Amino acid sequence: MKNATQTEIEEALTCQCGCGLTVHSCNHVQCPSGIPLKREIAAQLGEGRTRAEVLAYFSTKYGEKILSAPTTTGFNLVAWVTPFAAVLVAGAVIVVVSRRWRRPPTVPPPSRPAPIDEARRARLEAELGRFDA
């Protein structure tokens, strides 16, 4: 039976067979990548190396692509921060937009009707009088 450290290391490494799963979760029968990696992890632990040392060994050997989670240094920090920043920005946009939608619309004060020219009023009444007749 594997100890917890080997399982943790297998979960921290991505299988290189193309399945996209971790070494521990790879379910390919006779996986050409997962099985040798598991043996290599066991050998590394048998030599008394720690989890960090084993992960550093595989990261050096295969590159950071083998790690199932990006490291929190350098440009990889952007991968960790960007989702949270995007959620915060989206939340702020939703709050601002919802407040604007809740605000009652500004209604301009009623305007006074323009004064009617008396000559036009008299002409209008005369034409209406002829129309009714």
Side-chain angles (χ1 to χ4, degrees):
M1 181 168 179
K2 299 175 188 174
N3 59 24
T5 305
Q6 177 153 358
T7 303
E8 289 175 9
I9 293 170
E10 289 176 3
E11 287 290 339
L13 297 176
T14 303
C15 187
Q16 300 299 300
C17 69
C19 65
L21 300 172
T22 62
V23 171
H24 184 72
S25 302
C26 182
N27 53 7
H28 288 148
V29 178
Q30 300 299 324
C31 178
S33 175
I35 294 172
L37 285 173
K38 288 177 185 178
R39 288 186 194 136
E40 205 167 344
I41 292 169
Q44 295 279 323
L45 290 174
E47 294 174 4
R49 295 192 177 161
T50 64
R51 179 182 189 271
E53 290 172 338
V54 174
L55 290 178
Y57 167 78
F58 282 106
S59 180
T60 303
K61 185 175 180 180
Y62 294 99
E64 285 193 17
K65 68 177 185 174
I66 197 165
L67 300 176
S68 61
T71 59
T72 57
T73 59
F75 186 73
N76 290 339
L77 191 59
V78 174
W80 287 101
V81 172
T82 300
F84 300 109
V87 168
L88 288 175
V89 168
V93 168
I94 289 171
V95 167
V96 168
V97 169
S98 66
R99 284 185 178 175
R100 285 188 181 178
W101 284 348
R102 285 189 335 177
R103 239 186 252 159
T106 56
V107 178
S111 60
R112 293 180 155 201
I116 298 176
D117 184 18
E118 288 302 322
R120 287 186 176 188
R121 178 183 291 267
R123 182 178 165 198
L124 177 64
E125 288 180 7
E127 286 182 6
L128 286 175
R130 276 186 277 156
F131 184 73
D132 287 340

